[in-house]
Amino acid sequence: MSELSRDEFAEHQGTKFKIFFDGENPVEAELFEVTELRQNRIQESYSLVFLAPPDAPTLTGIRKMEHENLGSLEIAISPFKQDEKGTKFEAVFN
């Protein structure tokens, strides 16, 4: 699969992804936010924020994800906020 662009992710903001923390039991998470593209003369970057249930594992690393339209992906994510609404994970692309 080719690398997805920021705009392709933005088209799916608000949809559900399955995140595999243990290889067997996926956690359903919403693509909560896609940040604006930031550019300078060296690089472009953007972030994805996923909202998972409050009891989701708070593990950092490359995780397999599945989406009904985007298929199977491997994305590096890190947890950064947890409250009663859920656990937020961020993926940063440079």
Side-chain angles (χ1 to χ4, degrees), residues 26-92:
V27 172
E28 190 170 84
E30 175 189 348
L31 179 52
F32 184 75
E33 179 183 2
V34 179
T35 65
E36 292 300 316
L37 189 63
R38 296 176 297 274
Q39 297 177 302
N40 62 38
R41 48 189 187 103
I42 299 172
Q43 69 181 7
E44 298 179 342
S45 65
Y46 66 94
S47 299
L48 306 178
V49 176
F50 296 91
L51 179 61
D55 61 348
T58 54
L59 302 172
T60 297
I62 297 173
R63 302 289 168 218
K64 177 183 174 187
M65 294 188 181
E66 291 181 354
H67 184 270
E68 68 178 355
N69 295 327
L70 299 176
S72 183
L73 312 160
E74 288 193 0
I75 298 177
I77 59 173
S78 296
F80 71 94
K81 182 177 181 182
Q82 189 173 32
D83 60 25
E84 67 282 347
K85 294 179 185 177
T87 304
K88 289 184 179 177
F89 290 87
E90 182 178 42
V92 177

Side-chain angles (χ1 to χ4, degrees), residues 15-34:
T15 64
K16 301 291 184 185
F17 284 71
K18 292 179 182 176
I19 304 174
F20 292 82
F21 289 98
D22 65 7
E24 292 183 20
N25 302 308
V27 172
E28 190 170 84
E30 175 189 348
L31 179 52
F32 184 75
E33 179 183 2
V34 179

